[in-house]
Every structure is written in structure tokens, then in C-alpha cells.
Amino acid sequence: MDYTDDRPDERDDELFEDEDELMNEAESEEEKDEVEEELERLVFGDTAGFKDELKGFRQDTYREDGEDVEEEEEALATIADADLFMVDTGDVPSQALLSKPEGEITAYQRDPPAWHDSDDDERQISLMAVPRLRKLRHFEGEDVISGSDYTARLRRQFEVLHPRPAWADWSMQEKNSKKRRRYELEEDEMSDDASQNSDDEEDEDLSVQPLAKLLRSTAALTRSTQTTSTKRLKLRPEVIGIERMKDIQPTQPSAITSLTIHPTLPLLLSSGPSSTLYLHHLRPHPTPPDPANPLITSFHLKHTPLSTTAFSPPSLDSPQVSPTIYLSSRRRYFHTWDLSTGLIRKITRLYGQQSTQRTFEVLKPSPCGRYIALLGSDRKGGGLVNILSATTSQWLSQARLESRKGLADFAWWSNGEGIVLVGRGGEVAEFSLKENKIVCRWQDEGAVGITTIALGGRVAGFDSGRNKKAAPPLLGPDRWIAIGSTSGIVNLYDRTSWIETKPASTNPVPTKTLENLTTPVSRLCFSPDGQVMCMASRWKRDALRLVHLPSCSVYRNWPTSKTPLGRVSAIALGEVLAGEGVEERRMLVLVVGNEAGNLRGWEITG
């Protein structure tokens, strides 16, 4: 049976009471007296009152401005006429003329500044308090100026003392570029839109690869010794005529360990452990105001202390081989720099020869321009040389010499068809690339710790390949071979009788034994014409001597005690052309680099 509770619930009573209170509050809000309404209008305002106040504000503003004008007119009426005017003497007493609108782009900046210091406007600087600031005043009585104005005046004063260079002036650059383009259009007679677009593209390429553009035209800007018929200078023995050239700048930050003069062009290549390569134009006698021996460009390889930098000689047999600069260091890689395209390529390994080529420190390109030789190493003892292709950098052959103390040095035949290897114990081997084997072995006389080897000169009949009926040289066309040792002794051999036949003995007698150096021989170099040999040691100051060939006599008048050689770390002998027309002549140049980073040159005159 279900029962229903008819008693109201307590929660319902509470809800009814809340509704009653809300209704009472609403009724009380609707019933407002006049006092409450007036207070609300004054505090919060109403639409009609806001419009009335707005009209009154405009009338008051006009009335106040008019009163100010009347007050100013009454104040000016009491001032004398002489005080109302001034004579313009050229001074600028108003600081308003010095201020620049915000965001204005001045002549020295292409874009507006990225950041502005607000404190500069609030700072006040007195020009009378500090005597050296008085020159910044625009008139005599000027004293306090703002910080931004002070900065602008300092900048203007600096530009007066140090004028802005042309390359930093955007307006001058735009004018020069327009003139250059206009000149190109007039010269080439190109007036259509297509020619203008091509000129713009050429300018962009020049800015991206300026060195490639420069070196492509090197043959036109400089004269090659390969195409001239000028006779060489005949040198006399014992006394040499030599003149010092201006020092080749800049001074390098490290010792100069590699020097090379281009075989046909007056270009000098130098480098050292500073990882920077420098390319100079050899001009001992420039036409004023051109500088002597100017720097063409420099190139930096990070974390690569350069030990060898060399030009790739022009190849007549392989014209597809482009002019290249080789850069090597004591690393497991070397770089090639293609001068015609500006492309730099990194060679990281020799496939199949990784165990024998752990470093690329010693690299020598062949005189014919077709091969590259690298001094390798072997755990079994002795030494070897890996020969690569100059076009593909692929391994071609290997020349090995069994020597108890390892391989000391090697040198190319002048025709590029073979190399001469010398061990530290005095063992000498001559390797022919055509036969791919060693064709001759002999022993250096009195060898005590061999350090370096060099070949130079030409045997008569094989100097330029004119004698085509003669048999090809067995050991290359080089006449002289010089071998230096740790004792400072240099053995000089004449190979004239070795060209067509091997040496009569495995222990040939040197033509001349030079004992002028007392410390280990570090550098040997022959001149292109084979008349001079230079030998030097880096272990003693001013340790350099010149030897005349074929007399094998050391020049006694140079160097002197005042010749600034220093510790010689690199030497180079080369030929450049001097004079023009009838006065054109070949000039023999000696360039010396020392451990202080200085490059000094001398011209051999006779």
C-alpha cells in the first residue's frame, strides 16, 4: 500500500524565499528618486550631456587660442624693433637645422639603423666644458647639445679627417657600374634589351668568381716567355751582376715553405703553415703609378698548414688539362684549384694505395703537366713514389727504392717521362714511366744523410726537341743533377755522357763537390736556362750561395754580409720579360722566402 506525503519539502521553501528577495530588489531598483538619478548622471554621464560638453570644449579651445594670440601681440608691442630682427652671417644658430627626421637614410648608410638608443636623445653634452669639443660648435656661443646631435657631429668630423673610400660610397658604385655597362654597350654595339641582360649576368659572374675572370685573361694581361724569341742573358763566372727589387708585400704570418714561379707567366706562388696561399704578379720595373710586384689574390684553407703549393705547367701533349694549382699538407688529402673555372676539388684518398700513402705532404707535378708524384711510405722500409694522372687524379704507377734509411727526396726529368729517387743512404734510382721500371741505379759519393735532390740544364741536341733524328734520351734530357746532404756538402754531376748510355760505373765521380755550406742543405734550385744553381740551408742565417754553370764556380761577390736573407726557408728562380718592343729582354729573377715570412727578390743582370 503506497502512502503519499503531502507536506512541502524544506528545499522548496528556500527556493521560494530566494525568488521573493530577487523580485523585491528589482522593484527597489526601478523605484529611484531624483537625487539618485542626478548622482548617476554626474558620475557616469549620459548621451545628451556628453554632446553638450563636447561643443563647449571646442568653443573654449578657440577662445583660449585667441586669447594667447592677443597676449603675444601685447608682449611684442613692448619690444624694440632692433631686437626683432638679426643679420644672417652664415652661422647656423638653430639646432633644428641639424636634426634629421626620424627614419631618414643618410649618405653613409644604405639602410636605416636596426637599433636606436633612446638615451642619446635625453643625454645633454656641453661643448664648452671640454676644449677639444669646441671644434664641433656651429657658432661661437653654442654650448649644450643632445646626444644624438653630438654623435652626428663626431661622425661628420671623422669623415672630414678620413674621407670615405670610393668602395664604401653607394652612389659612386652605382655611377661606376652604369658607366661600365654603358662603355661595354658602346664598345660591342649592343643596344637591344638582350645585350643589357647579358651584361648584367656577366657583372654578377664577375662578383661571384673574380679570380676566375682575372686568370682567364692572364695571358692577355701579361706576356709569356714561351712565345717570345728574345735571347737569354749570358752570365759570367765568379762575379755576378745582381740588383735588389722591392720587397714583395705583404709579410706573411708564418715561415714561407713553398715558392714557385710559373714557367711561362710572371706569376709567383707562395705559402706556408699559416694555411694561406698568395699569388703575386712579378713586375720588378712597373710603369708609374703601378706598384711593383702587386698581390693578385690570396686563398685560405682552414686547418690546413700548407707544405707544398705548385703550378701545373701547361701541357702541349694534353691540351685538355686546364691550368691548375696544387695545394698539399701533412694531411690525408690534397686540393686542386682549377684556374679556368675557379673550382676547388679535394682529393681524399688513393684507392688501393691507402696503406702506402698516409700523408700528402710532398707533392710535385710533372713538367709536362700530365702527372702528379706523391712521396709515399712503406712499413717494410725504404720508400716509394705514387704517380697519379693530372686529369683524373687516379693512380697510374709506383716507383720503389729499397733504402735502409728511407727515401729522402725525388725530382722529375724535365720532359716529364721519368723521375730520379734518392735514399737517405745515398742510393739513387732513375725510373722511366714509358718502361714502367727503374732503368738505372748508382751510388752518391761520400753520402752522409741525403736531404734533397734537384735536376737542371739541358744537354745540347735535346734542349727543345729539334733533333728529331737523335735517339730519345735514356735518362732524360737534364744535364745537371745536384744532391745535398746533412753535412752541407753538395755533389754536382754532369750527365752529358749518361743521356744515351748508362753511367760507366755504379759509383760515378761528381763533377764538383761544393763545401760552402756548413749546415744541412734544405733547398736546391736551378734556373730555367741552366746557368745558375742556388743552394741554401735554413739552419743558419744568410746560408745561401749561387753557383755558375758549367764552370761550377761559386760567385764570390754575392751574397754579402749586408744582404738581408735571414733564415732561408724557400727559394725560386724564374724568367720574366722586361721592356717593350726593341728593348724587350728576358730577365732572370731570384726570389727568397725566410722563416720571418718575408719575400725578397733580386734581378740577375749579368
Side-chain angles (χ1 to χ4, degrees):
M1 185 175 181
D2 298 334
Y3 294 94
T4 305
D5 190 3
D6 296 334
R7 294 177 296 175
D9 193 359
E10 294 179 357
R11 290 177 295 179
D12 296 338
D13 295 341
E14 293 177 358
L15 292 175
F16 294 146
E17 291 177 359
D18 294 338
E19 292 178 358
D20 294 340
E21 291 178 359
L22 292 174
M23 293 177 62
N24 294 334
E25 290 178 0
E27 291 177 358
S28 62
E29 289 180 358
E30 293 178 358
E31 298 176 358
K32 296 180 181 179
D33 55 1
E34 296 180 358
V35 177
E36 187 176 357
E37 293 178 356
E38 182 66 20
L39 288 175
E40 288 183 357
R41 187 181 64 81
L42 293 175
V43 174
F44 300 104
D46 57 356
T47 305
F50 176 74
K51 294 181 179 179
D52 295 339
E53 291 293 333
L54 211 69
K55 295 179 181 179
F57 175 76
R58 293 178 179 175
Q59 294 175 358
D60 294 341
T61 302
Y62 297 148
R63 183 171 57 253
E64 290 175 359
D65 293 343
E67 292 176 356
D68 292 340
V69 174
E70 293 177 358
E71 291 177 358
E72 291 179 1
E73 292 178 353
E74 293 177 357
L76 292 174
T78 60
I79 300 176
D81 294 341
D83 297 334
L84 293 175
F85 304 96
M86 56 171 273
V87 179
D88 187 3
T89 59
D91 297 331
V92 186
S94 176
Q95 296 183 6
L97 296 177
L98 303 176
S99 61
K100 296 181 177 62
E102 185 177 359
E104 179 183 356
I105 300 177
T106 56
Y108 58 83
Q109 61 186 41
R110 184 72 172 181
D111 299 322
W115 178 77
H116 176 70
D117 191 356
S118 59
D119 294 340
D120 291 346
D121 298 332
E122 300 176 359
R123 187 178 291 109
Q124 298 294 324
I125 297 170
S126 175
L127 301 180
M128 298 293 292
V130 183
R132 62 183 179 182
L133 297 182
R134 294 178 182 177
K135 59 178 172 288
L136 301 178
R137 297 177 299 171
H138 288 173
F139 57 94
E140 186 176 359
E142 189 177 16
D143 186 7
V144 179
I145 60 176
S146 64
S148 58
D149 194 5
Y150 175 70
T151 303
R153 296 191 188 190
L154 283 179
R155 183 179 291 108
R156 192 179 302 110
Q157 180 69 15
F158 178 83
E159 291 182 356
V160 171
L161 299 177
H162 305 282
R164 188 185 303 109
W167 58 264
D169 195 342
W170 290 93
S171 59
M172 292 298 297
Q173 289 185 4
E174 292 176 356
K175 292 180 181 179
N176 293 336
S177 62
K178 291 180 180 179
K179 290 181 179 179
R180 182 171 60 254
R181 292 174 183 174
R182 189 182 305 113
Y183 173 77
E184 292 175 355
L185 291 175
E186 292 177 356
E187 185 180 14
D188 300 333
E189 296 180 358
M190 297 179 180
S191 58
D192 53 349
D193 297 336
S195 65
Q196 295 179 2
N197 295 333
S198 63
D199 291 339
D200 293 340
E201 293 175 359
E202 185 176 357
D203 289 342
E204 292 176 1
D205 185 35
L206 183 63
S207 63
V208 174
Q209 292 181 345
L211 181 61
K213 288 283 185 180
L214 176 64
L215 293 179
R216 284 175 195 166
S217 59
T218 300
L221 296 175
T222 58
R223 292 168 294 169
S224 172
T225 58
Q226 193 176 22
T227 58
T228 182
S229 59
T230 306
K231 294 183 179 180
R232 289 186 170 93
L233 181 66
K234 187 70 174 178
L235 302 180
R236 60 182 185 273
E238 295 187 356
V239 178
I240 188 171
I242 191 167
E243 296 179 359
R244 183 180 175 182
M245 303 186 303
K246 290 186 177 181
D247 291 350
I248 302 173
Q249 299 296 332
T251 301
Q252 301 185 19
S254 66
I256 300 171
T257 58
S258 180
L259 270 181
T260 306
I261 297 178
H262 196 276
T264 58
L265 298 174
L267 298 176
L268 175 67
L269 193 64
S270 60
S271 64
S274 62
S275 305
T276 305
L277 176 146
Y278 296 87
L279 187 62
H280 290 84
H281 181 195
L282 284 178
R283 286 197 302 177
H285 304 288
T287 303
D290 296 337
N293 306 316
L295 176 66
I296 298 177
T297 187
S298 60
F299 178 72
H300 182 77
L301 281 176
K302 292 183 178 180
H303 311 297
T304 308
L306 298 174
S307 58
T308 304
T309 52
F311 287 107
S312 175
S315 177
L316 300 178
D317 298 334
S318 301
Q320 70 274 11
V321 179
S322 59
T324 307
I325 292 178
Y326 297 97
L327 305 93
S328 67
S329 63
R330 198 170 186 176
R331 298 287 189 270
R332 293 181 178 269
Y333 55 83
F334 71 96
H335 294 82
T336 61
W337 187 2
D338 193 332
L339 300 183
S340 60
T341 62
L343 179 64
I344 298 174
R345 192 160 56 104
K346 184 177 181 181
I347 312 299
T348 57
R349 66 181 63 184
L350 294 181
Y351 292 99
Q353 304 296 325
Q354 291 88 340
S355 60
T356 61
Q357 195 68 53
R358 295 193 294 268
T359 177
F360 294 84
E361 185 175 3
V362 181
L363 180 149
K364 296 182 180 181
S366 65
C368 64
R370 292 178 294 172
Y371 309 109
I372 308 170
L374 293 167
L375 181 62
S377 59
D378 193 357
R379 296 179 180 178
K380 298 180 181 179
L384 53 89
V385 174
N386 288 310
I387 301 173
L388 316 180
S389 171
T391 55
T392 62
S393 299
Q394 298 297 318
W395 184 86
L396 297 178
S397 182
Q398 186 181 90
R400 183 183 294 271
L401 175 66
E402 300 297 335
S403 178
R404 292 175 297 175
K405 300 180 182 179
L407 190 64
D409 197 8
F410 67 93
W412 281 97
W413 295 351
S414 59
N415 58 0
E417 297 296 334
I419 57 176
V420 181
L421 300 88
V422 59
R424 299 187 187 278
E427 304 88 352
V428 183
E430 308 211 19
F431 180 85
S432 174
L433 286 175
K434 182 178 293 186
E435 300 183 18
N436 198 22
K437 67 178 183 178
I438 292 177
V439 295
C440 180
R441 293 178 183 268
W442 51 280
Q443 181 73 28
D444 180 36
E445 184 182 71
V448 180
I450 302 300
T451 57
T452 183
I453 187 173
L455 278 73
R458 290 292 186 97
V459 176
F462 298 99
D463 53 349
S464 60
R466 296 175 183 174
N467 191 358
K468 298 182 179 180
K469 296 183 180 180
L474 180 64
L475 302 180
D478 305 279
R479 178 178 180 180
W480 303 101
I481 179 170
I483 301 176
S485 63
T486 55
S487 61
I489 294 177
V490 176
N491 287 333
L492 191 60
Y493 296 88
D494 188 352
R495 305 199 318 162
T496 303
S497 60
W498 302 1
I499 296 299
E500 298 181 4
T501 61
K502 298 180 181 180
S505 172
T506 57
N507 296 296
V509 178
T511 306
K512 182 74 173 181
T513 299
L514 304 171
E515 302 178 355
N516 301 83
L517 302 179
T518 58
T519 52
V521 181
S522 57
R523 299 291 176 181
L524 290 173
C525 180
F526 286 89
S527 64
D529 56 3
Q531 295 189 71
V532 179
M533 184 192 75
C534 182
M535 54 183 182
S537 173
R538 67 181 305 173
W539 310 108
K540 185 179 180 180
R541 289 185 61 86
D542 304 333
L544 183 144
R545 295 293 182 271
L546 294 180
V547 182
H548 176 264
L549 299 174
S551 66
C552 301
S553 60
V554 179
Y555 287 106
R556 63 174 185 266
N557 66 319
W558 195 89
T560 64
S561 58
K562 297 182 179 180
T563 305
L565 294 174
R567 292 184 179 271
V568 179
S569 56
I571 55 176
L573 281 165
E575 290 182 339
V576 296
L577 292 179
E580 295 181 359
V582 182
E583 299 180 356
E584 186 180 60
R585 58 186 176 86
R586 289 177 182 264
M587 183 172 60
L588 186 60
V589 174
L590 169 66
V591 181
V592 177
N594 57 27
E595 291 189 349
N598 298 317
L599 273 176
R600 296 187 173 97
W602 287 266
E603 175 190 354
I604 298 177
T605 59

